[in-house]
């Protein structure tokens, strides 16, 4: 089994834990604060790992250059913007449709990977990407009244356009992070990924902290009071991000993001087994398609 596969699955599982933690934090702070903790409380863990790789493992720090900084800037801002649009979708009554379109990220990452990096995913990978995307979209719209009329209207709705924009930004972000990591050229994939993450998460922390100090200083106080659960979110979030960055250093971003759709299976399983939520046939079909797409991705 190629190394990027177990790394991606572990990252998806950790991201699911991070999402659960952030949902808990939403009860004691706002959306901005719950988003910030994944960066601000994750940054110390990443920086410590970065220093350990240098001092204990003996890896040299890669040379930071303009091309690398440009890609990390694009990725960092793209991720914040994509997350903002995704959260904005929740203010709409029919947000599920928009969320489904945001999950076209792997397909869009394949396009941007070709345009920006000249990377062409294989035919088997493209089929697997399409199958997983359809599966995720089925789950996302499973509880929305389905008809040809509703489907057509959803294609031109505001939520669909916002969802597509979010997916576009997530796709660009994934490709930008891969480009940044590869531009370092060594000393090895782990140091490249950690350096990219360290620079990116520091930038995102500074940007979001400055925004809160300018617009909502009370949120900083709410974050400080919830520092214990925030540490958990920061740790698992940093571990998940390290997994993503490492996997995308080893493999094309679109392929990694397609396998990452397994996170929906983890989320779905949590809702069924822990929260005892009812499932319908469309959701089951969506899960089966995701599994089928993942199997195709790994075997082809």
């Amino acid at each position: 089994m190629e190394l990027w596969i177990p790394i991606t699955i572990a990252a998806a599982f950790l991201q699911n834990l991070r999402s659960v933690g952030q949902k808990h934090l939403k009860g004691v702070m706002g959306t901005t604060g719950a988003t910030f903790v994944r960066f601000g409380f994750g940054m110390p863990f990443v920086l410590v790992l970065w220093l350990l790789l240098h001092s204990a493992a003996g890896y040299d720090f890669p040379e930071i250059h303009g091309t690398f900084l440009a890609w990390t800037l694009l990725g960092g801002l793209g991720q914040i913007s994509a997350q903002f649009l995704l959260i904005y979708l929740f203010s709409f009554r029919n947000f599920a449709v928009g969320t489904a379109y945001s999950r076209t990220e792997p397909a869009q990452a394949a396009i941007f990977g070709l345009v920006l990096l000249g990377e062409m995913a294989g035919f088997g990978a493209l089929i697997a990407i399409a199958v997983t995307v359809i599966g995720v979209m089925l789950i996302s719209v499973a509880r929305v009244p389905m008809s040809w009329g509703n489907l057509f209207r959803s294609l031109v709705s505001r939520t669909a356009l916002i969802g597509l924009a979010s997916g576009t930004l997530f796709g660009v972000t994934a490709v930008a992070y891969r480009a940044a990591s590869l531009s370092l050229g060594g000393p090895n994939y782990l140091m490249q990924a950690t350096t990219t993450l360290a620079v990116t998460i520091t930038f995102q922390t500074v940007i979001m902290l400055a925004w809160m100090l300018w617009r909502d200083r009370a949120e900083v106080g709410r974050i400080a009071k919830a520092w214990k659960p925030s540490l958990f979110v920061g740790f698992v979030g940093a571990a998940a991000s390290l997994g993503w960055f490492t996997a995308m250093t080893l493999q094309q971003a679109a392929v990694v993001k397609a396998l990452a759709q397994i996170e929906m299976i983890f989320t779905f399983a949590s809702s069924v087994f822990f929260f005892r939520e009812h499932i319908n046939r469309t959701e089951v079909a969506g899960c089966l398609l995701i599994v089928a797409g993942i199997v195709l991705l790994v075997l082809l």
Side-chain angles (χ1 to χ4, degrees), residues 45 73 86-88 100 117 123 135 137 165 187 206 229 241 247 280 286-287 297:
F45 295 107
L73 179 65
L86 195 58
I87 293 173
Y88 179 56
L117 302 182
F123 179 74
M137 293 183 71
V206 171
S241 295
N280 59 38
C287 285
L297 195 66

Side-chain angles (χ1 to χ4, degrees), residues 90-212:
F90 296 148
S91 63
F92 293 90
R93 185 175 181 181
N94 58 338
F95 71 89
V97 175
T99 304
Y101 284 105
S102 74
R103 288 288 183 168
T104 60
E105 172 193 358
Q108 299 201 56
I111 296 172
F112 290 115
L114 176 62
V115 173
L116 298 177
L117 302 182
E119 295 181 334
M120 179 64 183
F123 179 74
L126 291 176
I127 294 297
I129 289 170
V131 172
T132 58
V133 167
I134 293 172
V136 170
M137 293 183 71
L138 276 179
I139 293 176
S140 300
V141 301
R143 299 181 184 274
V144 177
M146 297 296 290
S147 68
W148 287 112
N150 286 342
L151 179 61
F152 176 77
R153 284 189 290 271
S154 73
L155 292 173
V156 294
S157 68
R158 178 187 295 185
T159 52
L161 295 177
I162 294 173
L164 283 171
S166 177
T168 298
L169 288 169
F170 275 128
V172 171
T173 295
V175 173
Y177 287 154
R178 173 168 168 79
S181 186
L182 292 178
S183 73
L184 294 174
N188 57 55
Y189 68 89
L190 184 57
M191 192 58 164
Q192 289 170 246
T194 306
T195 300
T196 306
L197 177 56
V199 173
T200 302
I201 202 170
T202 300
F203 164 69
Q204 291 171 319
T205 297
V206 171
I207 287 293
M208 292 207 68
L209 183 59
W211 173 265
M212 287 189 296

Side-chain angles (χ1 to χ4, degrees), residues 36-60:
F36 169 80
V37 296
R38 65 175 292 190
F39 304 124
F41 285 83
M43 183 180 70
F45 295 107
V46 175
L47 295 180
V48 167
L49 174 61
W50 192 38
L51 294 174
L52 285 175
L53 287 175
H54 174 68
S55 60
Y59 298 141
D60 292 332

Side-chain angles (χ1 to χ4, degrees), residues 128 131-143 258-259 261-273 278-295:
V131 172
T132 58
V133 167
I134 293 172
V136 170
M137 293 183 71
L138 276 179
I139 293 176
S140 300
V141 301
R143 299 181 184 274
L259 180 57
Q261 302 281 36
I262 196 173
E263 181 195 352
M264 289 292 291
I265 301 296
F266 295 143
T267 302
F268 193 65
S270 298
S271 66
V272 172
F273 294 110
H278 175 70
I279 60 175
N280 59 38
R281 293 179 180 177
T282 306
E283 289 169 321
V284 172
C287 285
L288 291 175
L289 281 174
I290 294 174
V291 172
I294 290 171
V295 171

